[in-house]
Amino acid sequence: MKVVERAEIAPNVHACKVSAADIARKVQPGQFIIVIPDEYSERTPITVADWDGEEGTISFIFLDIGSSTNSMAQLKPGDEIYSVTGPLGKSFEIEEYGSVCLVGGCYGIGGIFPAARALREMGNRVTCYSEARSKFLLYWNEKLEQVSDEVRYATADGSLGFKGHAYDLLEKDLHSGIKYDLVIAVGCTFMMYRIASLTRSYAVKTIVTMNPIMIDGTGMCGACRLEVGGTTKFACVDGPHFDAHQVDWDVILARRKAYLEEEIISSERHDHGKS
């Protein structure tokens, strides 16, 4: 696959557009791809954030946090990516729900974009909550605003919109009487856990996307197993979207940093190889 564009759109956050006509023709909101930047890199499952079927391109958002994503962050237009496989996973169920809330944080801001677009096209009223620690860490503001009825920003330092997290803003809105028929949360596991805990008390159907716990992306490694309604599931092949109120969050949160040491070792080896 050839790189069309690659840019750092916020500190440590990159957007990459690649030529992938077959994927662009078939991908649906919420599906993911597996990217291997070069023959020495690991498999990295990443949500497809945007696509153009006529142009034959797809776009994805990633964080530069390890050796493989660091290799992606060095890509330039015209470079070849070793492998891009997809679309994989199940898509969001795009229906006419009524009023829909989508919460995105970090890479999840890009992750909610195609769902917001599709849900609004279906006739829903779409409100997006976009969160970051500060204004300069937000991205795709205009793109989200174009496909939403309203975008509500939450920044921890109060530099844009509500001062606090998306969870705090959503809690304030629900407490004030704002009603949603569906909530979708995409981002880090802790953010999704907090949203799930909040919406459970308001009995609002909530969907979370469990991409953060995936590794292999095809059901072979078993690392993304989770308990949903008392049944073992795999995020990559059974999801990645699940009923947030059925997920056993204790299991998920206990494994958040299971591979942190290995990732540090891999990054150190990668940096040493470039020196």
Side-chain angles (χ1 to χ4, degrees), residues 188-209:
C188 73
T189 51
F190 186 67
M191 180 272 274
M192 293 189 290
Y193 157 71
R194 294 193 75 199
I195 295 296
S197 300
L198 170 64
T199 57
R200 180 183 289 108
S201 62
Y202 285 88
V204 182
K205 179 180 179 180
T206 302
I207 302 298
V208 290
T209 299

Side-chain angles (χ1 to χ4, degrees), residues 8-14 62-64 106 133-139:
E8 188 173 18
I9 55 177
N12 223 38
V13 180
H14 298 256
F62 66 92
L63 307 182
D64 181 1
C106 200
R133 293 194 309 275
S134 186
K135 177 181 178 180
F136 72 92
L137 292 169
L138 292 168
Y139 61 91

